[in-house]
Amino acid sequence: MPVSSRTTAVCVLAAAAINPAFAGGGGLLATSGLQSIEGSAGGGLTTWAMIAGHGEEGERAMGAGVARAITDGFALTSASAYASWNNRFEVSLARQTLELDALVEMGATDRTDVSLDLIGFKYRLGGDPVYADYGQFAVGALYKHNRDADLVRLAGAERSSGVDAYLAWSKLWLDGPWHRNWLLNVTLRATQAHQLGLIGFEDDYRLSAEAAVGVFLNPHWVVGAEYRNKPDRLSNAAEQDWADVYLAFFPNKRWALTLGYLDLGSIGGVDDQHGWYAAVQYGR
Amino acid sequence: MVVSLRFVPALIGLCLLTGCALTPKQSLFEALGGHDGIAALVDTAVEHSVTDPRFGELFANTDQDRLRTQLADQICELSGGPCVYQGLSMAEAHSGMQITPAEFNWFVEHTRLAMTERGYPVGTQNRLLALLAPMRSEVLGDPDQVFEAEPEPEDPLGME
């Protein structure tokens, strides 16, 4: 946690300091998505086709955020930052730190935490979540590096770094059921990772799918749910699909706050990991 | 507290299915307050846009009274009111203005803000925005026109 919170403070300060060079704000409120725990624009657990920030064509955007998830046995901190251009291209950086309380208690490891670095690229193929009938499509890739090669080996994973590649689709319907605006995201992902990469990677890829829905109670408040399908490839540490329900608040185009309730299934051999999620982000 | 979220895929499916089930509607024209409500709404939205330093200059050469009448007529007709819009098509009316996606969104936001200021509920706001959104492709400038409008000077370096 200390490392991550320092990273975040630096990211937020950097965004605030550099912002005069970054104009922007022509995108509709909340069409930025949120910053996912992997750094790319998305929800909390899933990645969406939206390009981070409220920039439109001819504009740039950047921002930073921090998310914290606490379950019965673990705690995850994700600090992330992004920059985006022309509502077309997004680059993101993130560091995740997973605190291994449950495993330490069991005497399974003497390490208190494990960290993962993520570099993400996303490109909008075309469309628009609001104005195009067919929504918005994007492709992206995440390069992930686990900073604890020993723990990865101990867990039985083949590699300490890996790549995710994904195709994402987002659509925001104006005036849907109950005269509310509705959001749907679907992403197909090829991944080498065990638990996002927090316990390492394999040589070959598995396909997984994720989806998120949201309903705008009004322009500033969104309530929704996410589901993320995950591979299950480590014999000594079963991995399960992830799900959450969330409430996000966009007071303006700079800040966003998210609260969620998570069901992360089994992690590192410790079953039934449920808990809370909170995130704050700032961008311009 | 332990709550399983394994129901989330079912929830997502349900959300998609309910997209088919719509409740009966009060006419949007009535919900907007008829002719008077629409006129007041258009006044507020145009006022905010014209004075917005980001893109207010777009309206500099526009006959403001005519713009308000035309907009009100259009909203009246779209919302099911007893009007027939007889002005130019959206493509003709904005031809050559090179309106950017950001500028279009700012006008949408001022319209949304005007509806909030005038006390319309979120549902009514969304109904109107859904009717206005399809105009975007006609309102936006055609990016190809930029190159036609600004031909390369024949002697850019002044060599002759």
mmCIF file of all heavy atoms in Angstrom, chain A residues 239-268:
data_model
loop_
_atom_site.group_PDB
_atom_site.id
_atom_site.type_symbol
_atom_site.label_atom_id
_atom_site.label_comp_id
_atom_site.label_asym_id
_atom_site.label_seq_id
_atom_site.Cartn_x
_atom_site.Cartn_y
_atom_site.Cartn_z
ATOM 1 N N GLU A 239 -9.160 -20.888 -9.915
ATOM 2 C CA GLU A 239 -9.506 -19.502 -10.240
ATOM 3 C C GLU A 239 -10.955 -19.460 -10.712
ATOM 4 O O GLU A 239 -11.375 -20.320 -11.487
ATOM 5 C CB GLU A 239 -8.563 -18.990 -11.336
ATOM 6 C CG GLU A 239 -8.816 -17.567 -11.760
ATOM 7 C CD GLU A 239 -7.697 -17.014 -12.654
ATOM 8 O OE1 GLU A 239 -6.678 -17.706 -12.825
ATOM 9 O OE2 GLU A 239 -7.869 -15.906 -13.176
ATOM 10 N N GLN A 240 -11.721 -18.505 -10.243
ATOM 11 C CA GLN A 240 -13.144 -18.430 -10.615
ATOM 12 C C GLN A 240 -13.455 -17.114 -11.297
ATOM 13 O O GLN A 240 -12.696 -16.146 -11.201
ATOM 14 C CB GLN A 240 -14.017 -18.604 -9.366
ATOM 15 C CG GLN A 240 -13.933 -20.010 -8.799
ATOM 16 C CD GLN A 240 -14.727 -20.162 -7.528
ATOM 17 O OE1 GLN A 240 -14.674 -19.327 -6.644
ATOM 18 N NE2 GLN A 240 -15.478 -21.254 -7.440
ATOM 19 N N ASP A 241 -14.627 -17.070 -11.984
ATOM 20 C CA ASP A 241 -15.069 -15.836 -12.618
ATOM 21 C C ASP A 241 -15.289 -14.764 -11.554
ATOM 22 O O ASP A 241 -15.596 -15.064 -10.409
ATOM 23 C CB ASP A 241 -16.375 -16.085 -13.383
ATOM 24 C CG ASP A 241 -16.157 -17.025 -14.559
ATOM 25 O OD1 ASP A 241 -14.991 -17.327 -14.865
ATOM 26 O OD2 ASP A 241 -17.155 -17.453 -15.158
ATOM 27 N N TRP A 242 -15.141 -13.512 -11.975
ATOM 28 C CA TRP A 242 -15.330 -12.382 -11.054
ATOM 29 C C TRP A 242 -16.621 -11.649 -11.399
ATOM 30 O O TRP A 242 -17.024 -11.574 -12.565
ATOM 31 C CB TRP A 242 -14.154 -11.402 -11.177
ATOM 32 C CG TRP A 242 -12.902 -11.871 -10.489
ATOM 33 C CD1 TRP A 242 -12.709 -13.069 -9.845
ATOM 34 C CD2 TRP A 242 -11.665 -11.152 -10.387
ATOM 35 N NE1 TRP A 242 -11.444 -13.129 -9.343
ATOM 36 C CE2 TRP A 242 -10.776 -11.969 -9.657
ATOM 37 C CE3 TRP A 242 -11.232 -9.907 -10.829
ATOM 38 C CZ2 TRP A 242 -9.462 -11.577 -9.360
ATOM 39 C CZ3 TRP A 242 -9.925 -9.510 -10.539
ATOM 40 C CH2 TRP A 242 -9.054 -10.342 -9.808
ATOM 41 N N ALA A 243 -17.256 -11.094 -10.387
ATOM 42 C CA ALA A 243 -18.465 -10.313 -10.612
ATOM 43 C C ALA A 243 -18.537 -9.181 -9.599
ATOM 44 O O ALA A 243 -17.919 -9.248 -8.532
ATOM 45 C CB ALA A 243 -19.705 -11.200 -10.487
ATOM 46 N N ASP A 244 -19.256 -8.122 -9.968
ATOM 47 C CA ASP A 244 -19.476 -7.048 -8.999
ATOM 48 C C ASP A 244 -20.734 -6.277 -9.334
ATOM 49 O O ASP A 244 -21.260 -6.377 -10.450
ATOM 50 C CB ASP A 244 -18.272 -6.083 -8.966
ATOM 51 C CG ASP A 244 -18.160 -5.238 -10.224
ATOM 52 O OD1 ASP A 244 -18.907 -4.263 -10.365
ATOM 53 O OD2 ASP A 244 -17.329 -5.568 -11.093
ATOM 54 N N VAL A 245 -21.236 -5.571 -8.359
ATOM 55 C CA VAL A 245 -22.252 -4.537 -8.592
ATOM 56 C C VAL A 245 -21.612 -3.216 -8.165
ATOM 57 O O VAL A 245 -20.787 -3.199 -7.247
ATOM 58 C CB VAL A 245 -23.556 -4.798 -7.800
ATOM 59 C CG1 VAL A 245 -24.295 -5.995 -8.379
ATOM 60 C CG2 VAL A 245 -23.272 -5.008 -6.322
ATOM 61 N N TYR A 246 -21.949 -2.121 -8.884
ATOM 62 C CA TYR A 246 -21.253 -0.862 -8.603
ATOM 63 C C TYR A 246 -22.188 0.332 -8.679
ATOM 64 O O TYR A 246 -23.253 0.286 -9.309
ATOM 65 C CB TYR A 246 -20.080 -0.670 -9.576
ATOM 66 C CG TYR A 246 -20.531 -0.436 -11.012
ATOM 67 C CD1 TYR A 246 -20.800 0.844 -11.484
ATOM 68 C CD2 TYR A 246 -20.708 -1.505 -11.882
ATOM 69 C CE1 TYR A 246 -21.224 1.051 -12.788
ATOM 70 C CE2 TYR A 246 -21.130 -1.305 -13.184
ATOM 71 C CZ TYR A 246 -21.389 -0.023 -13.634
ATOM 72 O OH TYR A 246 -21.825 0.187 -14.919
ATOM 73 N N LEU A 247 -21.744 1.383 -8.033
ATOM 74 C CA LEU A 247 -22.405 2.685 -8.111
ATOM 75 C C LEU A 247 -21.321 3.698 -8.423
ATOM 76 O O LEU A 247 -20.328 3.785 -7.690
ATOM 77 C CB LEU A 247 -23.071 3.010 -6.762
ATOM 78 C CG LEU A 247 -23.722 4.386 -6.635
ATOM 79 C CD1 LEU A 247 -24.965 4.474 -7.521
ATOM 80 C CD2 LEU A 247 -24.098 4.672 -5.189
ATOM 81 N N ALA A 248 -21.467 4.424 -9.522
ATOM 82 C CA ALA A 248 -20.439 5.401 -9.908
ATOM 83 C C ALA A 248 -21.044 6.793 -9.929
ATOM 84 O O ALA A 248 -22.196 6.978 -10.314
ATOM 85 C CB ALA A 248 -19.861 5.060 -11.280
ATOM 86 N N PHE A 249 -20.249 7.762 -9.517
ATOM 87 C CA PHE A 249 -20.691 9.151 -9.433
ATOM 88 C C PHE A 249 -19.740 10.014 -10.254
ATOM 89 O O PHE A 249 -18.529 10.010 -10.020
ATOM 90 C CB PHE A 249 -20.703 9.595 -7.958
ATOM 91 C CG PHE A 249 -21.045 11.043 -7.751
ATOM 92 C CD1 PHE A 249 -22.129 11.620 -8.404
ATOM 93 C CD2 PHE A 249 -20.296 11.826 -6.882
ATOM 94 C CE1 PHE A 249 -22.456 12.964 -8.214
ATOM 95 C CE2 PHE A 249 -20.617 13.174 -6.683
ATOM 96 C CZ PHE A 249 -21.697 13.739 -7.347
ATOM 97 N N PHE A 250 -20.291 10.724 -11.252
ATOM 98 C CA PHE A 250 -19.521 11.671 -12.064
ATOM 99 C C PHE A 250 -20.004 13.079 -11.730
ATOM 100 O O PHE A 250 -20.935 13.573 -12.372
ATOM 101 C CB PHE A 250 -19.752 11.418 -13.562
ATOM 102 C CG PHE A 250 -19.261 10.087 -14.065
ATOM 103 C CD1 PHE A 250 -20.055 8.953 -13.979
ATOM 104 C CD2 PHE A 250 -18.007 9.965 -14.650
ATOM 105 C CE1 PHE A 250 -19.616 7.726 -14.462
ATOM 106 C CE2 PHE A 250 -17.562 8.745 -15.139
ATOM 107 C CZ PHE A 250 -18.359 7.626 -15.043
ATOM 108 N N PRO A 251 -19.416 13.738 -10.720
ATOM 109 C CA PRO A 251 -19.893 15.086 -10.375
ATOM 110 C C PRO A 251 -19.641 16.064 -11.515
ATOM 111 O O PRO A 251 -20.390 17.022 -11.693
ATOM 112 C CB PRO A 251 -19.086 15.451 -9.125
ATOM 113 C CG PRO A 251 -17.888 14.559 -9.149
ATOM 114 C CD PRO A 251 -18.308 13.303 -9.862
ATOM 115 N N ASN A 252 -18.579 15.834 -12.284
ATOM 116 C CA ASN A 252 -18.225 16.675 -13.432
ATOM 117 C C ASN A 252 -17.285 15.847 -14.305
ATOM 118 O O ASN A 252 -17.094 14.659 -14.058
ATOM 119 C CB ASN A 252 -17.568 17.985 -12.962
ATOM 120 C CG ASN A 252 -16.440 17.714 -11.965
ATOM 121 O OD1 ASN A 252 -15.571 16.878 -12.235
ATOM 122 N ND2 ASN A 252 -16.469 18.373 -10.821
ATOM 123 N N LYS A 253 -16.668 16.515 -15.319
ATOM 124 C CA LYS A 253 -15.833 15.734 -16.236
ATOM 125 C C LYS A 253 -14.440 15.474 -15.669
ATOM 126 O O LYS A 253 -13.609 14.854 -16.330
ATOM 127 C CB LYS A 253 -15.724 16.453 -17.583
ATOM 128 C CG LYS A 253 -17.025 16.405 -18.354
ATOM 129 C CD LYS A 253 -16.885 17.010 -19.725
ATOM 130 C CE LYS A 253 -18.235 17.016 -20.420
ATOM 131 N NZ LYS A 253 -18.173 17.699 -21.723
ATOM 132 N N ARG A 254 -14.154 15.971 -14.472
ATOM 133 C CA ARG A 254 -12.813 15.765 -13.915
ATOM 134 C C ARG A 254 -12.769 14.614 -12.925
ATOM 135 O O ARG A 254 -11.831 13.838 -12.929
ATOM 136 C CB ARG A 254 -12.341 17.052 -13.244
ATOM 137 C CG ARG A 254 -12.173 18.138 -14.296
ATOM 138 C CD ARG A 254 -11.534 19.374 -13.766
ATOM 139 N NE ARG A 254 -11.452 20.331 -14.863
ATOM 140 C CZ ARG A 254 -11.212 21.605 -14.708
ATOM 141 N NH1 ARG A 254 -11.017 22.092 -13.506
ATOM 142 N NH2 ARG A 254 -11.159 22.402 -15.753
ATOM 143 N N TRP A 255 -13.761 14.534 -12.084
ATOM 144 C CA TRP A 255 -13.721 13.547 -11.016
ATOM 145 C C TRP A 255 -14.698 12.414 -11.270
ATOM 146 O O TRP A 255 -15.756 12.613 -11.881
ATOM 147 C CB TRP A 255 -14.082 14.207 -9.679
ATOM 148 C CG TRP A 255 -13.066 15.178 -9.201
ATOM 149 C CD1 TRP A 255 -13.065 16.538 -9.401
ATOM 150 C CD2 TRP A 255 -11.876 14.890 -8.463
ATOM 151 N NE1 TRP A 255 -11.949 17.098 -8.835
ATOM 152 C CE2 TRP A 255 -11.205 16.118 -8.253
ATOM 153 C CE3 TRP A 255 -11.310 13.710 -7.968
ATOM 154 C CZ2 TRP A 255 -9.991 16.201 -7.558
ATOM 155 C CZ3 TRP A 255 -10.111 13.798 -7.269
ATOM 156 C CH2 TRP A 255 -9.461 15.030 -7.075
ATOM 157 N N ALA A 256 -14.351 11.248 -10.779
ATOM 158 C CA ALA A 256 -15.323 10.146 -10.737
ATOM 159 C C ALA A 256 -15.038 9.309 -9.488
ATOM 160 O O ALA A 256 -13.877 9.094 -9.119
ATOM 161 C CB ALA A 256 -15.231 9.284 -11.989
ATOM 162 N N LEU A 257 -16.095 8.889 -8.844
ATOM 163 C CA LEU A 257 -15.995 8.070 -7.640
ATOM 164 C C LEU A 257 -16.800 6.801 -7.869
ATOM 165 O O LEU A 257 -17.888 6.844 -8.446
ATOM 166 C CB LEU A 257 -16.567 8.813 -6.424
ATOM 167 C CG LEU A 257 -15.950 10.169 -6.111
ATOM 168 C CD1 LEU A 257 -16.790 10.923 -5.086
ATOM 169 C CD2 LEU A 257 -14.535 9.966 -5.570
ATOM 170 N N THR A 258 -16.256 5.665 -7.433
ATOM 171 C CA THR A 258 -16.956 4.395 -7.617
ATOM 172 C C THR A 258 -16.958 3.611 -6.312
ATOM 173 O O THR A 258 -15.952 3.563 -5.602
ATOM 174 C CB THR A 258 -16.246 3.526 -8.681
ATOM 175 O OG1 THR A 258 -15.933 4.329 -9.816
ATOM 176 C CG2 THR A 258 -17.142 2.378 -9.117
ATOM 177 N N LEU A 259 -18.089 3.004 -6.018
ATOM 178 C CA LEU A 259 -18.196 2.059 -4.918
ATOM 179 C C LEU A 259 -18.730 0.762 -5.489
ATOM 180 O O LEU A 259 -19.620 0.787 -6.343
ATOM 181 C CB LEU A 259 -19.176 2.562 -3.854
ATOM 182 C CG LEU A 259 -18.658 3.528 -2.800
ATOM 183 C CD1 LEU A 259 -19.793 3.933 -1.882
ATOM 184 C CD2 LEU A 259 -17.527 2.869 -1.998
ATOM 185 N N GLY A 260 -18.199 -0.364 -5.025
ATOM 186 C CA GLY A 260 -18.693 -1.629 -5.549
ATOM 187 C C GLY A 260 -18.690 -2.715 -4.501
ATOM 188 O O GLY A 260 -18.044 -2.588 -3.446
ATOM 189 N N TYR A 261 -19.423 -3.777 -4.805
ATOM 190 C CA TYR A 261 -19.361 -4.975 -3.976
ATOM 191 C C TYR A 261 -18.895 -6.122 -4.861
ATOM 192 O O TYR A 261 -19.468 -6.354 -5.937
ATOM 193 C CB TYR A 261 -20.728 -5.289 -3.356
ATOM 194 C CG TYR A 261 -20.654 -6.497 -2.439
ATOM 195 C CD1 TYR A 261 -20.105 -6.384 -1.167
ATOM 196 C CD2 TYR A 261 -21.097 -7.750 -2.865
ATOM 197 C CE1 TYR A 261 -20.000 -7.490 -0.338
ATOM 198 C CE2 TYR A 261 -21.004 -8.854 -2.043
ATOM 199 C CZ TYR A 261 -20.447 -8.719 -0.782
ATOM 200 O OH TYR A 261 -20.332 -9.808 0.031
ATOM 201 N N LEU A 262 -17.837 -6.820 -4.453
ATOM 202 C CA LEU A 262 -17.157 -7.780 -5.318
ATOM 203 C C LEU A 262 -17.415 -9.218 -4.895
ATOM 204 O O LEU A 262 -17.537 -9.510 -3.706
ATOM 205 C CB LEU A 262 -15.639 -7.570 -5.255
ATOM 206 C CG LEU A 262 -15.074 -6.176 -5.462
ATOM 207 C CD1 LEU A 262 -13.596 -6.150 -5.088
ATOM 208 C CD2 LEU A 262 -15.252 -5.772 -6.910
ATOM 209 N N ASP A 263 -17.443 -10.100 -5.879
ATOM 210 C CA ASP A 263 -17.398 -11.541 -5.620
ATOM 211 C C ASP A 263 -16.246 -12.083 -6.465
ATOM 212 O O ASP A 263 -16.379 -12.211 -7.683
ATOM 213 C CB ASP A 263 -18.732 -12.188 -6.017
ATOM 214 C CG ASP A 263 -18.725 -13.687 -5.756
ATOM 215 O OD1 ASP A 263 -17.639 -14.228 -5.438
ATOM 216 O OD2 ASP A 263 -19.792 -14.304 -5.885
ATOM 217 N N LEU A 264 -15.120 -12.366 -5.833
ATOM 218 C CA LEU A 264 -13.922 -12.761 -6.574
ATOM 219 C C LEU A 264 -13.664 -14.268 -6.503
ATOM 220 O O LEU A 264 -12.625 -14.742 -6.983
ATOM 221 C CB LEU A 264 -12.701 -11.990 -6.051
ATOM 222 C CG LEU A 264 -12.828 -10.457 -6.074
ATOM 223 C CD1 LEU A 264 -11.542 -9.801 -5.617
ATOM 224 C CD2 LEU A 264 -13.205 -9.950 -7.466
ATOM 225 N N GLY A 265 -14.574 -14.999 -5.881
ATOM 226 C CA GLY A 265 -14.430 -16.449 -5.833
ATOM 227 C C GLY A 265 -13.206 -16.862 -5.037
ATOM 228 O O GLY A 265 -12.876 -16.276 -4.009
ATOM 229 N N SER A 266 -12.502 -17.881 -5.569
ATOM 230 C CA SER A 266 -11.347 -18.427 -4.870
ATOM 231 C C SER A 266 -10.077 -17.746 -5.370
ATOM 232 O O SER A 266 -9.876 -17.587 -6.568
ATOM 233 C CB SER A 266 -11.276 -19.937 -5.122
ATOM 234 O OG SER A 266 -10.221 -20.493 -4.370
ATOM 235 N N ILE A 267 -9.214 -17.332 -4.432
ATOM 236 C CA ILE A 267 -7.946 -16.699 -4.800
ATOM 237 C C ILE A 267 -6.807 -17.398 -4.060
ATOM 238 O O ILE A 267 -6.820 -17.469 -2.821
ATOM 239 C CB ILE A 267 -7.946 -15.196 -4.445
ATOM 240 C CG1 ILE A 267 -8.996 -14.464 -5.292
ATOM 241 C CG2 ILE A 267 -6.567 -14.588 -4.678
ATOM 242 C CD1 ILE A 267 -9.124 -12.992 -4.989
ATOM 243 N N GLY A 268 -5.836 -17.903 -4.814
ATOM 244 C CA GLY A 268 -4.661 -18.530 -4.204
ATOM 245 C C GLY A 268 -5.009 -19.664 -3.257
ATOM 246 O O GLY A 268 -4.326 -19.866 -2.250
#
